Every structure is written in structure tokens, then in C-alpha cells.
């Protein structure tokens, strides 16, 4: 696909994010209104989208092992870099432990919902299926890693790892991924009206996701934590996708799969880690500022990575 076509596909996605931002400021200013909409999207609409796309996908055509190797390999390298940051900056009292935990979270988490919307806008259902597969691979691991790190650094071990795993397995997104994969790999023929219902509800989720992302933008004064924000954005928007591109080429991912997983790696961080930071004593304001800045910068960095991929694939 030409880079111009890719950029045209991204414009609607970012436009809806901006609409959400102004809608929150000018029309729907009550947080409770957005909270209800986000809850419905999370527990119902997004699971419907995931189940439908996975059920209709031919998972035998998806190189799950290569995708897992690429994404988990890149994640491990970023974790290694974060370990170096911890020993160089936290141990030398150059940044606080609470600030480091927010840098850690925003460097490793990713906004799967924006990824779903962009891949659905740019490509066909196979890219949405790839995104859902990546969610199955990454979400449980990233959640366990982040909670474990925050628990070890900020608490006295009051959060049980077994309890955490139980919560993850009850997550509607994870449940939907498991259901979709199970049906796709089985010989079950889904009931057509049920698939139509899933399709209608799933399509509804994409616009609401992007509006909620825009509503959640917090254009605070970023000058008070420039160093921490620089670390967060550099690791998430530049280092992670660069490592995915490198590893994806090494393992031999095809063009669509490489583009899809790179876009996933280039996504800004998810907002759900904010609650974790607030409840466990992390630097919640830093987390909120980092996520908002990442979303704004991704208006530039996502097209940049699409351009890089286009050039690399053109050379190949």
C-alpha cells in the first residue's frame, strides 16, 4: 500500500480523537458521562469486535510463533534498558522510585484500542485479527510484569500474584480473545444472526474508543518533568517499534504482519495504568502527562514508522 493511502487512513482516526477532546471540553464535561460510555465499550463492545474478527479469521495463516518472538523479544530488550535506567537514575537518586514506576508502565503498556481502530481503518480483517492475537500474547504478560514491578518497588507485597492472575483471566478483553481463538480453531459454525449482532456492536466500539482517548487527553504543563517524559516517550514511541522492526525482519515476518506489529509497538501507552499508579503509590500525574504527550506525539511518530516501513519494504 502506498504511504499516501496509509496516511489518508490515519487521518480519520486522529480526527475523531480531536473531536473527543473538544467534545469533552465544550459539550460533555461531566466525567461520569464518559465513564459510563467507556465501561460499556470495555465490557461489551470491544469484546464483540474481538470475538467476531477472531472467529472469522483463519488463524492457520497467522504466524503466531514469529509474532510472539518479535513482540516478546522487543519487550525483553526494553525491560533490560529499563533495568539500566533504574540502576543509573533511581539508585543514584536522580529520579524517584514512584516516577520510575510510571516511566516503566508507560514504556511497556500499549493502547490496543487505538491499534484496533487504525488497523481496521488501514487494512482488512486479517490486520484486526493480528491485533487481537497480539492482545492475547501481550496483555497478560505486560499486566503481570507491571503489577509485579509496582508491588516490589512501592508496596510490602500486599498484592497477591495469584489474585492478579485471577483478575487478568476475568478481563473482558482476555476472555473475548480466548473465546474467539477457541471458536476459530474448532469446527463450530457460528449462528449467522449472532455474528451480525457481534458485528454491529463491534463496529460501534471503534468510534467510541477514539472519542474516549481524545476526552482523556490532559494538556498539562509538561515542563516540570521533562526528563521523565523524555524517557517515557523515547522508549515507547521510538525504541520499542525500532526493536520490533529489527526483530520482525530477522524472523521473516511478511509485509502486512510486520506493519501491523510495528503499529502495535508504536502505539501510545494505555490509560488503564493510571489507576494502578494511583492505587499503589506511583506517580499518577506523571503517568497521565506521559500518556497524553505520547498520544499527541503519535500523530507524528505513527506516520513516521509507516514511512520507514514503506521505504524498507520498497528496498526489499
Amino acid at each position: 500500500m502506498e504511504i499516501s493511502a496509509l496516511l489518508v487512513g490515519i487521518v480519520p482516526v486522529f480526527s475523531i480523537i480531536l473531536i473527543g477532546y473538544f467534545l469533552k471540553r465544550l459539550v460533555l464535561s461531566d466525567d461520569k458521562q464518559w465513564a459510563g460510555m467507556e465501561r460499556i465499550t470495555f465490557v461489551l463492545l470491544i469484546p464483540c469486535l474481538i470475538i467476531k474478527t477472531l472467529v472469522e479469521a483463519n488463524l492457520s495463516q497467522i504466524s503466531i510463533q514469529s509474532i510472539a518472538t518479535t513482540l516478546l523479544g522487543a519487550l525483553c530488550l526494553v525491560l533490560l534498558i529499563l533495568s539500566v535506567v533504574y540502576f543509573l537514575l533511581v539508585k543514584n537518586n536522580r529520579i524517584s522510585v514512584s516516577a520510575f514506576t510510571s516511566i516503566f508502565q508507560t514504556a511497556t503498556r500499549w493502547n490496543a484500542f487505538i491499534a484496533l481502530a487504525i488497523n481496521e481503518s488501514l487494512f482488512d480483517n486479517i490486520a484486526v485479527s493480528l491485533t487481537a492475537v497480539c492482545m492475547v500474547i501481550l496483555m497478560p504478560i505486560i499486566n503481570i510484569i507491571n503489577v509485579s514491578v509496582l508491588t516490589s518497588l512501592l508496596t510490602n507485597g500486599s498484592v497477591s500474584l495469584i489474585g492478579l492472575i485471577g483478575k487478568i483471566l476475568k478481563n473482558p478483553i482476555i476472555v473475548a480473545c480466548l473465546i474467539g481463538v477457541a471458536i476459530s480453531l474448532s469446527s463450530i459454525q457460528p449462528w449467522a444472526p449472532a455474528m451480525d449482532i457481534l458485528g454491529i456492536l463491534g463496529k460501534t466500539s471503534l468510534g467510541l474508543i477514539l472519542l474516549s482517548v481524545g476526552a482523556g487527553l490532559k494538556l498539562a504543563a509538561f515542563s516540570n518533568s521533562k526528563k521523565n517524559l523524555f524517557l517515557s516517550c523515547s522508549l515507547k514511541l521510538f525504541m520499542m517499534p525500532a526493536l520490533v522492526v529489527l526483530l520482525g525482519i530477522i524472523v521473516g515476518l511478511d509485509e502486512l504482519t510486520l506493519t501491523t506489529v510495528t503499529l502495535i509497538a508504536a502505539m501510545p501507552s494505555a490509560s488503564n495504568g493510571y489507576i494502578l499508579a494511583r492505587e499503589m503509590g506511583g506517580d499518577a500525574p506523571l503517568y497521565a502527562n506521559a500518556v497524553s504527550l505520547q498520544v499527541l506525539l503519535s500523530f507524528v511518530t505513527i506516520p513516521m514508522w509507516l514511512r520507514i516501513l514503506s521505504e524498507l519494504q520498497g528496498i526489499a
Side-chain angles (χ1 to χ4, degrees):
M1 183 182 291
E2 294 292 330
I3 188 65
S4 58
L6 293 173
L7 293 177
V8 168
I10 290 176
V11 167
V13 173
F14 285 131
S15 297
I16 296 173
I17 290 175
L18 289 175
I19 290 172
Y21 174 78
F22 289 108
L23 194 63
K24 170 69 183 298
R25 274 72 193 170
L26 302 176
V27 181
L28 301 175
S29 58
D30 188 348
D31 289 337
K32 292 181 180 179
Q33 295 171 309
W34 290 95
M37 183 170 65
E38 290 167 3
R39 186 63 180 166
I40 292 173
T41 304
F42 178 68
V43 301
L44 176 65
L45 302 183
I46 292 172
C48 287
L49 175 66
I50 291 172
I51 292 173
K52 184 175 187 295
T53 54
L54 284 176
V55 167
E56 294 179 342
N58 186 351
L59 294 182
S60 63
Q61 296 180 351
I62 296 177
S63 179
I64 296 177
Q65 182 176 352
S66 297
I67 292 172
T69 299
T70 301
L71 290 174
L72 296 180
L75 176 62
C76 288
L77 291 172
V78 168
L79 292 176
L80 180 61
I81 295 171
L82 283 165
S83 299
V84 174
V85 170
Y86 177 81
F87 284 105
L88 290 180
L89 299 183
V90 178
K91 288 295 186 179
N92 292 321
N93 297 317
R94 298 178 67 181
I95 63 173
S96 66
V97 172
S98 62
F100 173 78
T101 59
S102 289
I103 293 171
F104 187 98
Q105 283 208 90
T106 54
T108 54
R109 292 185 180 275
W110 60 290
N111 197 312
F113 307 147
I114 298 180
L116 281 169
I118 289 180
N119 283 325
E120 194 275 341
S121 174
L122 293 179
F123 307 112
D124 54 19
N125 284 340
I126 188 64
V128 179
S129 300
L130 285 168
T131 305
V133 168
C134 293
M135 293 167 74
V136 176
I137 294 170
L138 287 176
M139 277 189 168
I141 293 173
I142 287 176
N143 276 285
I144 289 173
I145 289 173
N146 274 278
V147 174
S148 299
V149 168
L150 267 68
T151 300
S152 64
L153 295 180
L154 298 174
T155 73
N156 295 320
S158 58
V159 178
S160 166
L161 186 59
I162 295 177
L164 167 66
I165 294 173
K167 288 182 179 180
I168 290 173
L169 292 177
K170 293 178 183 177
N171 185 304
I173 306 297
I174 301 299
V175 172
C177 289
L178 296 176
I179 291 172
V181 169
I183 295 175
S184 179
L185 294 177
S186 72
S187 57
I188 298 174
Q189 294 297 323
W191 188 39
M195 294 299 290
D196 291 339
I197 292 171
L198 290 174
I200 293 170
L201 292 173
K203 284 288 185 181
T204 305
S205 70
L206 297 175
L208 293 179
I209 290 166
L210 299 176
L211 289 174
S212 297
V213 170
L217 284 178
K218 300 180 184 298
L219 305 184
F222 299 124
S223 58
N224 294 333
S225 51
K226 287 181 179 179
K227 177 174 62 178
N228 297 334
L229 292 172
F230 173 80
L231 280 170
S232 169
C233 293
S234 298
L235 289 170
K236 185 67 200 72
L237 301 180
F238 295 97
M239 182 59 67
M240 181 71 82
L243 291 170
V244 165
V245 170
L246 177 62
L247 293 175
I249 292 173
I250 291 173
V251 303
L253 295 180
D254 63 82
E255 290 188 6
L256 176 59
T257 304
L258 179 60
T259 300
T260 302
V261 297
T262 301
L263 283 174
I264 286 169
M267 287 298 110
S269 186
S271 58
N272 56 0
Y274 173 81
I275 303 299
L276 191 63
R278 189 173 61 189
E279 290 184 351
M280 297 185 67
D283 192 334
L286 173 61
Y287 192 101
N289 286 344
V291 170
S292 295
L293 183 58
Q294 285 183 15
V295 171
L296 293 175
L297 291 176
S298 69
F299 282 53
V300 176
T301 57
I302 289 175
M304 179 197 77
W305 283 112
L306 288 173
R307 166 66 72 177
I308 291 171
L309 287 170
S310 178
E311 294 293 335
L312 290 174
Q313 291 165 355
I315 293 173

